[in-house]
Amino acid sequence: MEMSQYLEVFIEESKEHLQTVNDSLLKLEKNPEDLSIVQEIFRAAHTLKGMSATMNYQDLANLTHKMENVLDLIRNHKIHVDSDLLDIIFDGVDDLEAMVGDIASGGQGERDVKEVVEKLERIEKGETPTSVQKSEAVSQMEENHSHDHPNQLILDEFQRTLLMESAEQGFSNYEITVTLTQDCMLKGARVYMVFEVLEQVGEVAQSAPSVDQLEEENFDLEFKVLLLSTHEKEDIKARILKVSEIDTVHVVQVTAEDYVTANSAESKELNNVSSEQETKESIENASVAVAVKEKSTTSEAQKTNENTPQKAAQSKTIRVNIDRLDVLMNLFEELVIDRGRLEQISTDLNHSELQETVERMSRISGDLQNIILNMRMVPVEQVFNRFPRMVRQLARDLNKKVNLVVEGAETELDRTVIDEIGDPLVHLIRNSLDHGIETPESRVEKGKPEEGNLKLQAYHSGNHVFIEISDDGGGINRDKVLQKAMNNGLVTAEQASSLTDQQVFDFIMSSGFSTADKISDVSGRGVGLDVVKNTIESLGGSITIDSAPDQGSVFSIQLPLTLSIISVMLVEVQQEKYAVPLSSIIETAIVKKEDIMHAHNKQVIDFRGRVVPLVSLEDVFEVPQETEKGDYYSIVIVRKGEKMAGLVVDSFIGQQEVVLKSLGNYLQNVFAISGATILGDGQVALIIDSNALIK
Amino acid sequence: MENHAEDVKVIVFQLQNEEYGVPVGRVGSIERMMPITRVPRTVSFVKGVMNLRGVVTPIIDLRERFGIEGTSYDESTRIIIVHLDDMEVGLVVDSANDVIDIPSGTIEPPPEVVGTVDADYISGVAKLDRRLLILLNLEEVLSEQEIRQLQSIEG
C-alpha cells in the first residue's frame, strides 16, 4: 500500500497529538495528583505510537513506546511526578517533535535518542526496582506464554481485579476474537483500526498477542482482546466488522472467574518472582488500590470518549492546502472583476430584469468573498500553543518563577500573518522573562509576590488584531535608555528633554541598540528587538512599548487582519491610478497654490503647525504627458513613524478594499512600489510604498 | 515517437524580419495585446505589468530588450507568456503563429553576430529549408543580473 498519500495527515495529526502531550504535561506539573491528565497524555502518546508504527517510522514508535512505559508507571502510582521527571519526558517530546519535523521535511524521522531513552529506562528501573522486576517478569512470562499458546489471553492479578471491579460497576467483559481475511495487506493497520473502534466503545484491558506484537504484525490472522464496555455484544461486533478486511468476529461475554483457574498458577509464580515473601501482601493490596483508582479514571475517560467532542469537531473540519485557497481566491477575484463589468453593462443597458439579476449576483458574490477570506483565518492559538512550554523551560533556566496567562487564543488572523508572527513573539517573551521579570529574591525585596506574571493577550479591534505581552517586572529605566541613545548619537541632549516616554522606549528597538552591552540590565532589552520591529512592520503592523519602573512593561503589537486585502486610497496621477495604503495615510487635503511655501528649494506646506515637505508623484514616477495644473493641489499626507510627507496627486478617486498582489519575481525591489492590485475594470494599479518616499 | 525523440518543439515568433523560437515547454500561453500598467523607474524595456487572469504579470518588450528599433503595437502583436524557474514574464513580439519540430541535428551554435542581437541571448540557430530560426536562451533574456545592471545605469 502506498503510504505517501497519508503522510500529510500523519504529520498534521502527529503535531496535534504532540501538542496535546505538551499541554497536558504542563497541566500535570501543576496537578501532579490528577491521573486523568496522565490518561490523556497516555492516549495521545498511544495514538501517536500506533500511527508511526503503521507508517513505518520505527524510531518514532520506539521512543513513544518508552515514554508510554514511564507514563504507565505514573498512572499506576509506581512513580511520582516531579519536575525532573517531567524534564526528561519533555526532552523526549522535543525529540519526537524533531522527528516529526524531519518527516515533514522529507526525512525518515530518524534521530539519535539514546540519551533520552536511557534516562527513560533508568526511570523505569531505578526508581521502583520491585515493580519493574514484576512488570519485567510479567512481560517475560507473557512472552513465554505467547510462544506456547499465542492467542490465549493471560491476565495478571491487577487485570483480574479490574475485571471484577468493572463487573460490579455494570460493565460487561467481552473476550473478542478477531480474524482477518487471508489476503489482508496491512495487518498492523487493521489492528490499529480495530483498536480505534474498541476504544470508542470501551476500554481494552488485555490483548493476545500483546499490543506490541500486534503492532509489529507479529501474529498470524487471529487476535484476541479483552474489552470492558457498556455496549451490547452485537453492537460491538457490528462496529468491528465495519473495518474492512476482517473475516470474522466472535464476542463472548466473560467474567473474572473464567480466568482465575487458568492463571492462578502463574500469578503465584509471579508473586514469587516479583517480591520477597514479607512484601507480597502489601503489594497485592497496593495493586487493588491502584485498580480502584484506575477504574475510576478509565470510566471517566470512557465518558469523555462516548461524548467524543474531539472526534465530532474533527469530522466537521477538513484540511485544505493553502495553495488551493490561493487559487480559489484568484478565481474569485476574476469573478469580481467580471461582476464589475456586468454591473457597468447593466446600468448602461438599463434593463430592469438584467439589473435585478446583476444586483443579486453582486450580493451573493459579496457573501462569497467574506467566506473565502474567512477560510484563510486561523486562531492565533497555533502560535500561542508553544509558549507555555517555552516559558516553563526559560523560567527554570533563569531560576525565576513565572506565571503565564494566555488570553484570547481563539482570536483569528490570516494564515500568512500567523506564519510570520511566531518568531517576533518568541523574542519578546524571552525578553520579558530575561530582562523584565526579576529574580524571586529581588521581587520579594521590592515587596512583590515571588512569582512574576507574564500575560499574553490577543484581541480584535476594528480592522486590526492586537497582541500584547505584558509583565509585572522591573520595567524599563528611561534615563538609562536615554543615556544610551545619546551615546549612540541617536538623539541630542536638547532633543532628549522633550521626548515622551514612548519615544524613549522606542529607542530600544532601534538597530543601534542591538549591540548593547549586557552589563546594564536595561540595555540588554535591546538585543535583537530591531529585528522584531522590522518583521512586524513588514507585515504592515506596528509595535509600541509602555513601561513604568518596577511596575512592568507592555509590548503592544498591532497587526492587520489579513495581508491579502488592504484598505487603500486610490489616487490618479495624469492617466495612471495608484493606491496608497490607508494605514500610512494621516489625512487628505486640498491646498491652494499660494499656500505652498519653499524651504531649501523644496515645496513644503504648513500642516497643523508642522512643516511638511511635498513629494510630487508625477516627478517621482516620471509620469508622461504634462497637463496644466489647476489652482489647487490635492495632497495625501502620509507618515513614517514621526516623519510626514505630502504626496501631490491630480485627484482622489476614493477609498477601496483591494487584494494585494506581488509584482512577480521578475520585478523585485521596484522603487516606492510595494505591490499591485487589480481594479474592478481589470486594470492593474500599483500600490505605493510611502515609506520609501519619506527620507 | 522514436524518430522524433531528438526533436525540439518550439513556438515561432517574429521580431522585425527575423524568426525566433522558444521551447514550447517554457511557454504558458500566447495572449493578444492587453492594457499594460506602466511600472515607474524600471528599465525601459519593461513595459509594465498586466492582469493575466488574476495574476499580475510583468511584460517586457523583446524589440527593446534586443535593441531592435521599436514599432507600434497592432492587431498581430502578441504577448508570449514564458516561465523560468519561479518567474513568469510576458514577452511582447510582433506576431506568433507557428509551432514546429526542429531536428536537433539542424541546430548550430550561435554565430558571432546575428543582426543586432547580442549573441548571449541565443542558444543556437536552426536552418529549416529556407528559414533561419534563432533559438532564444531565456535564462539570458531574463537574467536578473543584467536587469540590475541596466537598472543601475538608467535608474
Side-chain angles (χ1 to χ4, degrees):
Chain A
M1 195 159 75
E2 181 55 44
M3 280 299 185
S4 59
Q5 53 178 318
Y6 303 118
L7 194 59
E8 215 168 302
V9 181
F10 168 75
I11 291 164
E12 285 293 318
E13 288 194 1
S14 304
K15 282 184 185 162
E16 269 170 32
H17 287 304
L18 283 174
Q19 189 60 50
T20 314
V21 173
N22 251 329
D23 291 348
S24 309
L25 282 172
L26 286 170
K27 263 192 252 163
L28 184 66
E29 189 170 33
K30 287 190 178 146
N31 312 299
E33 299 306 318
D34 189 348
L35 286 181
S36 69
I37 301 175
V38 183
Q39 193 68 29
E40 191 153 317
I41 303 170
F42 199 85
R43 210 170 17 236
H46 188 74
T47 318
L48 183 64
K49 182 176 84 171
M51 290 195 318
S52 8
T54 312
M55 296 290 290
N56 251 327
Y57 295 118
Q58 280 313 326
D59 286 12
L60 200 58
N62 290 343
L63 180 55
T64 327
H65 181 68
K66 291 278 181 256
M67 272 175 54
E68 258 186 275
N69 288 349
V70 173
L71 290 169
D72 199 36
L73 293 176
I74 298 175
R75 72 172 175 178
N76 290 341
H77 289 259
K78 302 235 171 74
I79 48 176
H80 220 67
V81 179
D82 57 35
S83 290
D84 291 331
L85 172 70
L86 284 176
D87 275 348
I88 296 168
I89 301 182
F90 271 132
D91 281 347
V93 175
D94 281 347
D95 280 326
L96 291 176
E97 268 169 357
M99 287 172 174
V100 173
D102 179 45
I103 295 167
S105 51
Q108 274 304 305
E110 280 156 11
R111 191 181 161 90
D112 182 19
V113 292
K114 227 183 270 166
E115 205 180 320
V116 175
V117 169
E118 228 166 71
K119 280 183 192 161
L120 289 171
E121 278 172 350
R122 220 175 299 145
I123 301 173
E124 244 182 292
K125 290 180 188 141
E127 302 251 344
T128 46
T130 45
S131 64
V132 171
Q133 259 180 28
K134 178 176 155 185
S135 69
E136 268 176 357
V138 171
S139 60
Q140 188 75 41
M141 245 175 313
E142 261 177 355
E143 242 158 60
N144 285 342
H145 217 88
S146 52
H147 284 303
D148 298 343
H149 341 260
N151 292 344
Q152 212 60 51
L153 283 172
I154 312 297
L155 298 194
D156 59 22
E157 196 68 34
F158 165 71
Q159 284 159 328
R160 216 164 42 227
T161 324
L162 191 65
L163 235 64
M164 287 189 274
E165 290 279 336
S166 72
E168 278 166 30
Q169 291 184 18
F171 283 83
S172 307
N173 308 319
Y174 298 111
E175 189 178 307
I176 302 170
T177 312
V178 180
T179 315
L180 301 175
T181 53
Q182 286 287 344
D183 53 354
C184 180
M185 290 291 290
L186 213 81
K187 294 192 286 183
R190 295 300 151 202
V191 171
Y192 173 65
M193 287 163 89
V194 170
F195 271 73
E196 281 276 281
V197 171
L198 292 176
E199 272 159 21
Q200 278 170 25
V201 294
E203 190 77 14
V204 178
Q206 177 65 294
S207 74
S210 71
V211 177
D212 289 345
Q213 283 173 309
L214 285 174
E215 271 166 10
E216 283 159 23
E217 303 197 354
N218 228 336
F219 68 105
D220 196 15
L221 285 172
E222 192 185 277
F223 63 94
K224 280 187 182 173
V225 292
L226 184 61
L227 181 80
L228 317 182
S229 171
T230 50
H231 286 252
E232 289 297 318
K233 210 155 84 175
E234 288 309 310
D235 178 39
I236 295 168
K237 188 172 172 177
R239 280 172 190 249
I240 297 171
L241 280 172
K242 279 203 182 126
V243 178
S244 53
E245 296 187 345
I246 285 187
D247 196 18
T248 56
V249 177
H250 286 288
V251 184
V252 185
Q253 189 156 6
V254 292
T255 58
E257 285 73 34
D258 293 342
Y259 291 94
V260 175
T261 44
N263 296 314
S264 57
E266 275 108 54
S267 75
K268 254 186 207 150
E269 199 183 320
L270 176 116
N271 285 331
N272 284 339
V273 179
S274 65
S275 58
E276 287 138 34
Q277 291 291 343
E278 308 93 75
T279 55
K280 181 178 158 190
E281 282 294 298
S282 63
I283 282 190
E284 257 175 29
N285 286 342
S287 69
V288 171
V290 172
V292 175
K293 271 247 165 136
E294 167 77 11
K295 190 67 221 90
S296 65
T297 49
T298 50
S299 68
E300 253 175 44
Q302 234 168 297
K303 263 179 227 150
T304 50
N305 243 353
E306 268 162 17
N307 297 334
T308 50
Q310 248 184 321
K311 292 249 162 66
Q314 262 174 17
S315 67
K316 280 185 186 167
T317 56
I318 56 166
R319 291 176 217 281
V320 184
N321 191 319
I322 192 105
D323 292 342
R324 287 198 195 166
L325 288 184
D326 284 344
V327 173
L328 183 66
M329 185 88 136
N330 276 342
L331 286 175
F332 183 74
E333 279 154 24
E334 277 186 67
L335 193 71
V336 170
I337 292 160
D338 286 342
R339 179 185 73 188
R341 286 198 194 127
L342 262 183
E343 278 167 350
Q344 190 61 47
I345 294 167
S346 89
T347 14
D348 289 352
L349 288 180
N350 204 13
H351 184 287
S352 68
E353 255 180 85
L354 176 66
Q355 274 175 346
E356 250 172 59
T357 318
V358 169
E359 264 168 35
R360 243 211 355 258
M361 206 192 88
S362 304
R363 209 171 48 240
I364 293 171
S365 57
D367 293 346
L368 204 55
Q369 182 174 12
N370 277 335
I371 290 172
I372 292 175
L373 288 181
N374 272 331
M375 278 201 287
R376 296 174 54 93
M377 304 294 270
V378 226
V380 72
E381 195 178 0
Q382 286 203 346
V383 184
F384 282 11
N385 266 343
R386 57 171 139 152
F387 294 137
R389 180 63 208 290
M390 194 186 96
V391 169
R392 173 189 184 270
Q393 196 58 47
L394 265 179
R396 278 175 70 84
D397 291 350
L398 296 166
N399 284 324
K400 290 180 181 176
K401 289 193 174 168
V402 182
N403 175 36
L404 176 72
V405 181
V406 178
E407 275 178 24
E410 72 285 349
T411 312
E412 288 188 326
L413 258 171
D414 189 272
R415 178 63 195 253
T416 35
V417 185
I418 293 264
D419 289 345
E420 294 290 324
I421 196 66
D423 289 344
L425 287 181
V426 168
H427 226 102
L428 290 175
I429 290 175
R430 278 174 175 278
N431 232 294
S432 284
L433 277 167
D434 200 2
H435 308 294
I437 291 173
E438 314 91 330
T439 55
E441 301 81 56
S442 77
R443 285 184 69 89
V444 171
E445 256 172 51
K446 288 178 185 175
K448 295 186 190 177
E450 221 179 33
E451 192 179 55
N453 279 307
L454 182 66
K455 190 161 142 193
L456 190 59
Q457 194 182 16
Y459 56 92
H460 277 288
S461 178
N463 252 344
H464 287 92
V465 167
F466 289 82
I467 300 178
E468 282 181 8
I469 296 137
S470 43
D471 64 60
D472 62 351
I476 302 168
N477 187 327
R478 181 194 154 107
D479 296 336
K480 279 193 186 172
V481 174
L482 213 49
Q483 193 58 48
K484 186 96 192 159
M486 284 193 279
N487 292 348
N488 285 7
L490 289 168
V491 68
T492 63
E494 299 91 71
Q495 286 170 317
S497 56
S498 63
L499 290 176
T500 65
D501 282 0
Q502 291 228 337
Q503 284 169 320
V504 174
F505 298 146
D506 270 347
F507 285 128
I508 69 170
M509 292 188 293
S510 53
S511 52
F513 269 71
S514 57
T515 50
D517 55 289
K518 276 206 157 186
I519 303 165
S520 144
D521 57 333
V522 184
S523 60
R525 268 201 180 243
V527 177
L529 278 182
D530 56 325
V531 182
V532 171
K533 187 177 172 143
N534 284 342
T535 314
I536 289 166
E537 282 180 353
S538 74
L539 291 171
S542 62
I543 175 166
T544 54
I545 306 173
D546 215 351
S547 179
D550 286 339
Q551 310 257 310
S553 321
V554 180
F555 289 75
S556 179
I557 302 169
Q558 182 182 354
L559 291 165
L561 266 187
T562 163
L563 285 186
S564 46
I565 296 217
I566 57 169
S567 292
V568 296
M569 176 79 167
L570 275 184
V571 297
E572 212 165 17
V573 183
Q574 302 292 7
Q575 302 295 313
E576 297 181 351
K577 291 187 180 106
Y578 290 94
V580 187
L582 230 49
S583 55
S584 56
I585 298 180
I586 299 176
E587 66 177 83
T588 57
I590 291 181
V591 178
K592 268 195 213 147
K593 222 172 194 171
E594 52 258 39
D595 287 342
I596 290 171
M597 299 174 291
H598 291 264
H600 254 313
N601 230 352
K602 277 184 176 164
Q603 292 188 313
V604 295
I605 52 163
D606 178 2
F607 173 69
R608 302 193 198 288
R610 285 186 61 167
V611 175
V612 173
L614 292 185
V615 179
S616 164
L617 284 191
E618 200 173 277
D619 294 347
V620 173
F621 290 154
E622 298 156 352
V623 182
Q625 326 166 316
E626 217 34 61
T627 50
E628 272 306 300
K629 286 262 177 283
D631 290 338
Y632 292 93
Y633 273 36
S634 300
I635 293 169
V636 182
I637 295 164
V638 293
R639 67 178 169 87
K640 174 193 182 184
E642 290 300 311
K643 291 176 189 161
M644 293 201 277
L647 308 180
V648 183
V649 301
D650 285 345
S651 62
F652 308 128
I653 299 174
Q655 188 185 327
Q656 203 172 324
E657 305 248 294
V658 297
V659 180
L660 187 62
K661 306 224 166 204
S662 101
L663 282 180
N665 288 326
Y666 184 70
L667 292 175
Q668 281 171 343
N669 305 321
V670 178
F671 175 74
I673 301 293
S674 62
T677 185
I678 296 169
L679 300 177
D681 59 1
Q683 295 250 21
V684 179
L686 301 176
I687 296 169
I688 293 175
D689 172 14
S690 55
N691 283 349
L693 296 174
I694 303 174
K695 282 172 196 114
Chain B
M1 276 306 279
E2 296 299 299
N3 300 341
H4 294 268
E6 300 246 307
D7 286 3
V8 188
K9 205 184 258 299
V10 296
I11 302 261
V12 180
F13 62 87
Q14 283 76 36
L15 283 182
Q16 211 157 22
N17 296 320
E18 290 174 22
E19 282 192 304
Y20 294 79
V22 281
V24 74
R26 293 269 189 229
V27 176
S29 62
I30 299 175
E31 310 284 335
R32 285 178 179 276
M33 207 55 202
M34 280 190 245
I36 295 175
T37 302
R38 192 181 65 93
V39 178
R41 294 205 173 193
T42 48
V43 281
S44 64
F45 61 76
V46 174
K47 288 287 112 185
V49 288
M50 69 171 196
N51 166 20
L52 180 73
R53 286 179 287 278
V55 179
V56 175
T57 311
I59 304 298
I60 66 178
D61 187 315
L62 264 202
R63 272 187 178 248
E64 283 196 51
R65 177 74 180 91
F66 293 164
I68 304 171
E69 199 179 309
T71 181
S72 57
Y73 302 146
D74 57 29
E75 264 304 293
S76 63
T77 303
R78 291 289 179 275
I79 298 171
I80 301 182
I81 309 294
V82 296
H83 47 84
L84 190 77
D85 301 331
D86 48 359
M87 282 197 285
E88 207 167 57
V89 179
L91 310 173
V92 181
V93 300
D94 290 358
S95 63
N97 38 29
D98 216 351
V99 184
I100 56 171
D101 287 315
I102 307 173
S104 47
T106 62
I107 299 176
E108 291 172 17
E112 287 299 300
V113 178
V114 172
T116 53
V117 180
D118 192 322
D120 276 357
Y121 309 131
I122 300 169
S123 66
V125 177
K127 251 183 287 178
L128 301 157
D129 301 333
R130 299 183 55 226
R131 294 163 85 181
L132 196 65
L133 199 63
I134 303 164
L135 300 177
L136 283 188
N137 181 353
L138 281 180
E139 275 85 353
E140 285 299 325
V141 173
L142 304 180
S143 146
E144 266 182 64
Q145 247 185 332
E146 183 131 10
I147 297 166
R148 290 222 185 90
Q149 275 171 6
L150 286 166
Q151 243 166 355
S152 58
I153 296 164
E154 300 191 13

